[in-house]
């Protein structure tokens, strides 16, 4: 019996004997469990939040896997299309991030899915898949990740060593064939809003796996031969003819620095196009090398 309870009972007994107090039937006196002096009270442990897994994929669409016809009639097929990604980060942004408004991501949650670098081959998804796994993060807080950023940096090793992107393949037109390798070493960053496509992506639920997608639109570079010449995608694209003009004996292997010296106009146009290649599905991105997000 606790000390407080003992004292109360003793006083009631004394007053009762003196005829000064009585207890109504049914009244009970209780006390809290006995506690050793100086001993801290037990506290409830906070419940751990259930988490999920978030994957980031890279997709060059069917143009990377199956080829395309450029705006100037070249049939292009890719043997390899290496893209080197780094610092891939997903965000729960509130309000939703719009890359065309020039504001920063207001991150309520931020998950670094890839903190190193990873080279993927967009032309070799394989196994019936339309995308390649870049990286995944576990123990991710639930919610919708409606913004994504990543950097394109030169690879330090592997088949794309020294390059941000490497496009190799074959271009054919009117009986002429060119084997080409286009090396791009420019470093830049894409900061993107919500994925736009046939289904919503980036919604992480406890115990489940969700995904986001980095999408590379090659028609921004080569155009689309199935669309009219005055279509916006063809108005702003390079096509393949300016590159074909630099080929020798059916071969072209060129870097951006070599392109700058051999065809400054083509080089300049390429530099203007590269920022528009990165998307999230059909969702837009902003290219920046200076902006910070968080």
């Amino acid at each position: 019996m606790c000390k407080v309870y003992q004292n109360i009972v003793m006083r009631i007994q004394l007053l009762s004997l003196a005829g000064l107090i009585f207890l109504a039937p049914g009244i009970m006196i209780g006390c809290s469990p006995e506690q050793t002096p100086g001993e801290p009270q037990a506290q409830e442990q906070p419940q751990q939040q259930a988490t999920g897994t978030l994957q980031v994929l890279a997709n060059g669409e069917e143009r990377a896997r199956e080829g395309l016809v450029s705006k100037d009639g070249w049939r292009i097929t890719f043997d390899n299309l290496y893209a080197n990604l780094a610092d891939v980060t997903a965000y729960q942004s509130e309000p939703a991030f719009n890359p065309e408004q020039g504001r920063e991501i207001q991150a309520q949650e931020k998950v670094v899915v890839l903190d190193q670098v990873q080279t993927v081959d967009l032309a070799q998804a394989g196994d019936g898949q339309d995308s390649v796994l870049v990286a995944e993060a576990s123990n991710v807080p639930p919610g919708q990740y409606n913004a994504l950023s990543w950097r394109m940096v030169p690879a330090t090793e592997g088949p794309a060593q020294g390059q941000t992107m490497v496009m190799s393949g074959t271009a054919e037109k009117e009986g002429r064939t060119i084997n080409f390798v286009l090396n791009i070493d420019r470093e830049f960053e894409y900061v993107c809003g919500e994925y736009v496509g046939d289904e919503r992506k980036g919604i992480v639920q406890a115990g489940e796996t969700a995904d986001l997608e980095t999408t590379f639109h090659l028609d921004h570079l080569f155009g689309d031969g199935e669309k009219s010449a005055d279509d916006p995608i063809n108005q702003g694209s390079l096509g393949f003819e300016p590159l074909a003009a630099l080929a020798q004996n059916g071969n072209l292997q060129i870097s951006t620095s070599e392109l700058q010296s051999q065809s400054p106009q083509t080089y300049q146009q390429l530099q203007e196009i590269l920022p528009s290649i990165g998307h999230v599905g059909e969702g837009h991105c902003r290219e920046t090398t200076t902006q910070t997000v968080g």
Side-chain angles (χ1 to χ4, degrees):
M1 185 180 296
C2 64
K3 292 180 180 180
V4 173
Y5 180 76
Q6 288 175 330
N7 291 337
I8 292 174
V9 171
M10 289 178 64
R11 291 181 181 179
I12 291 174
Q13 289 174 342
L14 292 173
L15 293 172
S16 179
L17 289 173
L20 298 175
I21 192 171
F22 69 93
L23 293 175
I27 291 181
M28 298 182 65
I29 300 174
C31 64
S32 60
E34 186 170 358
Q35 178 182 338
T36 304
E39 180 181 340
Q41 293 185 353
Q43 297 181 352
E44 292 186 4
Q45 295 295 322
Q47 204 168 28
Q48 189 172 8
Q49 183 184 28
T51 60
T53 299
L54 180 62
Q55 296 181 335
V56 172
L57 310 174
N59 187 357
E61 304 178 309
E62 58 277 351
R63 298 181 184 92
R65 300 184 301 274
E66 302 173 11
L68 59 90
V69 176
S70 68
K71 71 174 186 178
D72 39 28
W74 286 88
R75 173 67 187 177
I76 302 171
T77 54
F78 296 98
D79 297 324
N80 303 101
L81 208 167
Y82 296 113
N84 199 55
L85 291 78
D87 299 332
V88 181
T89 306
Y91 310 83
Q92 291 187 30
S93 177
E94 179 60 42
F97 174 67
N98 185 339
E100 297 176 329
Q101 290 182 344
R103 300 175 183 172
E104 296 184 359
I105 295 173
Q106 302 299 312
Q108 309 302 305
E109 291 285 353
K110 176 180 177 180
V111 174
V112 178
V113 183
L114 175 69
D115 60 358
Q116 300 178 352
V117 295
Q118 178 69 28
T119 301
V120 295
D121 188 351
L122 302 174
Q124 303 293 328
D127 297 328
Q129 301 298 313
D130 59 5
S131 53
V132 185
L133 178 65
V134 177
E136 69 175 33
S138 55
N139 300 322
V140 173
Q144 183 186 6
Y145 289 82
N146 57 354
L148 183 70
S149 69
W150 74 92
R151 293 172 57 221
M152 302 289 295
V153 299
T156 57
E157 59 184 8
Q161 185 172 5
Q163 308 301 323
T164 298
M165 296 186 72
V166 176
M167 304 180 184
S168 64
T170 303
E172 299 176 294
K173 179 182 178 181
E174 299 174 353
R176 185 184 179 193
T177 300
I178 296 175
N179 299 308
F180 69 89
V181 178
L182 175 60
N183 293 315
I184 300 171
D185 59 6
R186 173 177 170 179
E187 181 174 343
F188 46 92
E189 179 180 16
Y190 290 118
V191 184
C192 313
E194 183 176 354
Y195 174 89
V196 177
D198 294 335
E199 59 178 322
R200 301 187 76 185
K201 289 182 176 289
I203 302 175
V204 176
Q205 299 182 15
E208 298 186 9
T209 299
D211 66 81
L212 283 172
E213 180 181 290
T214 65
T215 316
F216 296 85
H217 288 195
L218 298 177
D219 55 342
H220 283 241
L221 176 58
F222 296 109
D224 188 340
E226 297 181 357
K227 295 183 178 179
S228 63
D230 59 358
D231 188 278
I233 198 66
N234 288 330
Q235 289 290 310
S237 60
L238 177 66
F240 191 79
E241 196 64 47
L243 297 174
L246 302 174
Q248 295 182 353
N249 301 319
N251 294 287
L252 172 66
Q253 181 165 346
I254 194 166
S255 65
T256 48
S257 58
E258 292 169 335
L259 186 62
Q260 184 177 19
S261 62
Q262 295 183 34
S263 179
Q265 182 178 353
T266 302
Y267 168 83
Q268 184 59 39
Q269 192 171 359
L270 176 65
Q271 296 305 306
E272 293 172 356
I273 291 170
L274 287 175
S276 70
I277 291 179
H279 287 68
V280 278
E282 295 298 323
H284 289 174
C285 300
R286 180 171 69 232
E287 188 275 328
T288 175
T289 55
T290 58
Q291 180 185 0
T292 58
V293 294

